[in-house]
Amino acid sequence: MCDFEEESAVALLDDLNGDGAIQLDLSSAKYGCKHYRRRCKIRAPCCDEVFDCRHCHNEDKNDLEINPIDRHDIPRHEVKKIICSICDTEQSVQQNCINCGVCMGNYFCDKCKFFDDDVGKKQYHCDDCGICRTGGVENFFHCTKCGCCYASSIKDTHRCVERAMHHNCAVCFEYLFDSTKNIAVLPCGHTIHFECVREMKLHHRYSCPVCSKSIGDMSNAWRKLDEEIASTPMPEMYRNKKVWILCNDCEGISEVQYHILANKCSGCKSYNTREIQGVPVSC
């Protein structure tokens, strides 16, 4: 019994600061949610309910069990009230609590009403995008035609597509512009989630789901097809058969020798082609 009391006294002394006040464990690991570590919650202006962050709100309010007419996303820029996770004081949006003074997030954006303790993400606010992004402002540029931020490494090589990320991913249908997942910019300029590109490759899909152009260098695949076609002669009745094809890569139209495996573009030598009916007017 005595040992227990001594240990309790030591623990209590460890919790006291110089003036005798009890020290609170303000480690962000205790607060926040699976999306962000921070010491505040938000009151949603749309439904007047309290959530840890906008993602928690959107997941809850777009659940399949919710009536479709009641599903909605939070208007992030309209958040007016936050609740301190330390003292439960509700207040206007600001970085430090007006009651206990705790910093509610080491990164704070007043425009986005956004808090996050993990500054290792190198968050920055892009005025042109109108939202906060991660990765460091020095590593990104904003393309005005595409309407989004891209890595500086593709500044001089990317193909512009107007409002390239202001749409749903063509694979998983999640809205891309403010997605927290990594985005892949394809050679054609269209964008989808990086994980969705990997999933496509696992299923041997190598063309853009939007425009059907090849999503990378396919020269090795075309070389293998050349070998397969060379070792697979067509039956006599098809050896003189020709078809018109449209190349998805170079958009050229050509008449080629038909083969059951694939038809090669006579222009760019791609096998990413499709048969078309009749003789094209342009020819």
Side-chain angles (χ1 to χ4, degrees), residues 62-170:
N62 288 288
D63 190 271
L64 294 178
E65 295 182 2
I66 301 291
N67 189 321
I69 63 175
D70 294 326
R71 296 174 191 170
H72 65 281
D73 288 342
I74 189 172
R76 68 164 84 179
H77 297 96
E78 296 177 20
V79 172
K80 296 290 190 295
K81 295 292 183 179
I82 58 173
I83 297 92
C84 176
S85 298
I86 307 300
C87 65
D88 292 327
T89 301
E90 186 162 348
Q91 57 203 280
S92 58
V93 179
Q94 53 200 300
Q95 189 170 18
N96 296 300
C97 177
I98 59 173
N99 182 47
C100 66
V102 69
C103 175
M104 292 181 277
N106 289 326
Y107 176 82
F108 168 66
C109 177
D110 183 54
K111 296 177 181 178
C112 293
K113 317 300 189 260
F114 176 56
F115 303 79
D116 194 358
D117 248 10
D118 184 7
V119 293
K121 299 174 184 176
K122 296 184 178 180
Q123 302 94 327
Y124 69 96
H125 181 86
C126 175
D127 286 324
D128 291 318
C129 285
I131 61 175
C132 289
R133 297 201 176 279
T134 60
V137 64
E138 69 279 4
N139 299 317
F140 291 85
F141 74 99
H142 183 88
C143 178
T144 54
K145 184 174 181 179
C146 295
C148 51
C149 287
Y150 285 150
S152 300
S153 58
I154 65 169
K155 185 174 184 178
D156 299 322
T157 58
H158 83 286
R159 185 172 182 175
C160 285
V161 173
E162 191 147 1
R163 297 179 66 79
M165 287 209 296
H166 293 261
H167 61 83
N168 295 337
C169 173

Side-chain angles (χ1 to χ4, degrees), residues 141-239:
F141 74 99
H142 183 88
C143 178
T144 54
K145 184 174 181 179
C146 295
C148 51
C149 287
Y150 285 150
S152 300
S153 58
I154 65 169
K155 185 174 184 178
D156 299 322
T157 58
H158 83 286
R159 185 172 182 175
C160 285
V161 173
E162 191 147 1
R163 297 179 66 79
M165 287 209 296
H166 293 261
H167 61 83
N168 295 337
C169 173
V171 177
C172 68
F173 303 109
E174 179 184 322
Y175 190 58
L176 288 173
F177 183 68
D178 56 1
S179 174
T180 57
K181 302 174 184 176
N182 291 330
I183 307 295
V185 183
L186 304 180
C188 57
H190 293 118
T191 53
I192 58 177
H193 287 123
F194 182 76
E195 283 299 321
C196 291
V197 174
R198 294 181 62 182
E199 192 71 21
M200 286 172 56
K201 289 181 177 179
L202 288 176
H203 291 84
H204 307 290
R205 304 291 297 180
Y206 300 103
S207 59
C208 171
V210 179
C211 66
S212 297
K213 293 185 184 297
S214 297
I215 62 175
D217 181 9
M218 300 295 293
S219 55
N220 288 335
W222 301 160
R223 197 175 301 114
K224 290 180 181 178
L225 268 174
D226 282 338
E227 296 172 358
E228 287 289 331
I229 289 173
S231 61
T232 312
M234 292 292 288
E236 184 68 33
M237 63 184 295
Y238 290 111
R239 287 183 184 174

